[in-house]
Amino acid sequence: MSTPRAPLYITMDDRDNVAIVVNDGGLPAGTVFPSGLTLVDKVPQAHKVALVDIPTGGEVRRYNVVIGYALKDLKAGTWVHERLLRMPAARELVGLPIATVKPAPQPPLEGYTFEGFRNLDGSVGTRNILAITQTVQCVAGVTDFAVTRIKAELLPKYPNVDDVVALEHTYGCGVAIDAPDAIIPIRTLRNISLNPNFGGEVMLVSLGCEKLQPERLMPPGTIPLIDERNVADVGDSASPKLDVVCLQDDAHVGFMSMVESIMRQAEEHLERLNDRRRETVPASALVVGVQCGGSDAFSGVTANPAVGFCTDLLVRAGATVMFSEVTEVRDGIDQLTSRASTPEVAEAMIREMAWYDAYLDKGRVDRSANTTPGNKQGGLSNIVEKAMGSIVKSGSSPISGVLAPGESARQKGITSGLIYAATPASDFICGTLQLAAGMNLHVFTTGRGTPYGLAEVPVIKVATREDLARRWHDLMDINAGTIATGEKTIADVGWEMFQLMLDVASGRKKTWAEHWKLHNALVLFNPAPVT
């Protein structure tokens, strides 16, 4: 039987007047901490306790940021939760510090490599996957039936291909396809189809009558030229073939005819993908998306700071790292604009925040709608507190680029550094948009626990608490809860994460999500009208 741990709380800054309780199961009223603080209330794990008396209307500070104002007098030792706080107003998007923080240059991190699949456009895949793009939801059932057969009957013949995935989505028809914001889902699906893990192979399944026609999704010049086998006319190097199986074609007589057409076309792509081999590439070829979901108050104490440390390592190694989730960084916009590498980068971030403010306003909600019941049960009182813990995933490097939803980093000329990829905070939409941005590896932190995974890229899951890591031992890849208990440092877990990334990217290790084939659906962000 393990010895009960002494009462322990954590502050994030010496100027904080609240701390979070570390102990599993929380602590009862009357508990005395080594500092002499005595709990007035029972305080659940990860929830806040007042360190000093806070008067009505007084600032409640965590991360040395005002996360709220007390709605009544709070005595030292009181459990401080969302019902006792008034949330601050959002920071205006004017008068912000612009590119004012100039961190000292860090030495390059050299000599780190992984085994990846090189693509002709210079990108590198961490997996070798055949992706079948669908222009419209109508074809999803037929494509899914075909993919099941491809995996059973064809994939075993091509041992160098890791998987076959159908890029299913709920877009393509019944939408205002010419509305200005329709470009977001269209370019998202287009850029996902060109993700580095798919080796430049593009195969589409179309119904035939949908609004999102294949040529609109993949206009001329979009498809990469692989070799003479994907050229429309051999010798015409300017005409890569758009490989489309159209279910409404007269040639298809019956359901099985459609399925067999998909299988025939898939085999051509499988043959080319099977010729590919892993080779040693520098760590700079990594494109890592970082995200948090099912967050708790430990997210910003353990897992996210460790991700931030690892982010700095990746940037030093020349890799690309993207952080996202507009509502979960909006309250720290001043921290981000000050870290922008140039005024232009800062202005781009401000534009994305302003666009999203307007988007939420159309729906008659604001950023406070983000925080979930689980977040609050995990000790996060409001979006301000949540944002402070989310931002730390970005580390301390200068922010060198900004992507609008659905844009590709490589197409915008970004091949290294820390970038802000604007996305909603929804786990599924954020992951989908980071795929479009070109990520070949995903890191996902969680405190409450979520079995999230993606079929298209490996997802490394990081637990914020020891209790979660212990209970979900075959779902979490890294236990960052050891930071809270003092067993490991942020740097220890950050380096562990960095090394695991290289192993996972090389195919030497599989993540638990890969092992169990836990794959969430792609969810396109469509702010345009549905007709």
Side-chain angles (χ1 to χ4, degrees), residues 176-206:
I177 200 78
D178 293 316
D181 288 340
I183 187 59
I184 292 175
I186 293 171
R187 73 185 175 205
T188 299
L189 184 56
R190 176 185 304 147
N191 288 331
I192 289 175
S193 302
L194 302 173
N195 185 277
N197 283 0
F198 305 150
E201 297 287 340
V202 178
M203 174 180 169
L204 278 68
V205 177
S206 161

Side-chain angles (χ1 to χ4, degrees), residues 225 227-242:
L225 178 66
D227 61 24
E228 70 278 2
R229 290 174 291 178
N230 85 321
V231 177
D233 298 303
V234 175
D236 183 4
S237 59
S239 303
K241 180 173 65 175
L242 184 59

Side-chain angles (χ1 to χ4, degrees), residues 253-504:
V253 179
F255 171 68
M256 291 311 299
S257 172
M258 302 174 190
V259 172
E260 287 163 3
S261 287
I262 295 172
M263 293 181 69
R264 276 195 305 272
Q265 293 307 114
E267 190 148 25
E268 290 185 15
H269 296 278
L270 288 170
E271 287 177 357
R272 287 196 290 267
L273 287 170
N274 196 58
D275 289 339
R276 289 154 55 81
R277 298 292 185 274
R278 289 187 182 272
E279 56 185 285
T280 302
V281 296
S284 58
L286 288 174
V287 183
V288 180
V290 300
Q291 189 190 167
C292 48
S295 301
D296 68 356
F298 280 117
S299 295
V301 177
T302 61
N304 289 352
V307 171
F309 184 92
C310 186
T311 292
D312 287 344
L313 295 179
L314 289 163
V315 171
R316 287 173 56 196
T320 304
V321 185
M322 65 185 80
F323 71 108
S324 301
E325 302 166 292
V326 173
T327 47
E328 295 187 13
V329 301
R330 173 66 175 80
D331 281 276
I333 182 59
D334 54 327
Q335 299 176 36
L336 302 182
T337 56
S338 63
R339 283 173 55 200
S341 59
T342 65
E344 291 75 19
V345 169
E347 292 300 330
M349 277 189 281
I350 292 169
R351 281 197 305 273
E352 293 303 327
M353 300 295 153
W355 185 92
Y356 209 83
D357 283 355
Y359 166 74
L360 291 178
D361 190 55
K362 281 183 191 176
R364 299 185 182 181
V365 298
D366 63 18
R367 74 205 199 285
S368 67
N370 170 282
T371 320
T372 69
N375 294 154
K376 293 176 181 179
Q377 289 173 16
L380 292 171
S381 294
N382 56 40
I383 188 56
V384 182
E385 183 179 12
K386 186 178 181 183
M388 294 307 109
S390 177
I391 285 173
V392 295
K393 296 194 303 294
S394 66
S396 61
S397 301
I399 301 166
S400 58
V402 177
L403 300 177
E407 288 186 333
S408 159
R410 182 165 288 273
Q411 288 178 12
K412 290 199 76 173
I414 302 172
T415 56
S416 66
L418 178 65
I419 61 177
Y420 180 68
T423 76
S426 158
D427 298 346
F428 322 110
I429 299 177
C430 177
T432 300
L433 289 168
Q434 288 186 341
L435 279 172
M439 76 170 170
N440 54 21
L441 192 64
H442 201 26
V443 176
F444 189 99
T445 69
T446 183
R448 303 297 294 170
T450 167
Y452 170 94
L454 293 170
E456 297 79 11
V457 297
V459 179
I460 294 172
K461 304 286 285 299
V462 186
T464 73
R465 299 178 295 122
E466 284 205 307
D467 178 62
L468 176 63
R470 181 171 54 250
R471 289 186 296 108
W472 286 25
H473 58 90
D474 53 0
L475 287 170
M476 298 291 114
D477 301 293
I478 293 177
N479 173 17
T482 52
I483 295 170
T485 60
E487 297 166 57
K488 291 184 179 180
T489 66
I490 289 171
D492 291 337
V493 178
W495 274 107
E496 176 187 351
M497 197 179 300
F498 181 76
Q499 296 289 355
L500 180 60
M501 285 182 185
L502 298 178
D503 285 338
V504 169

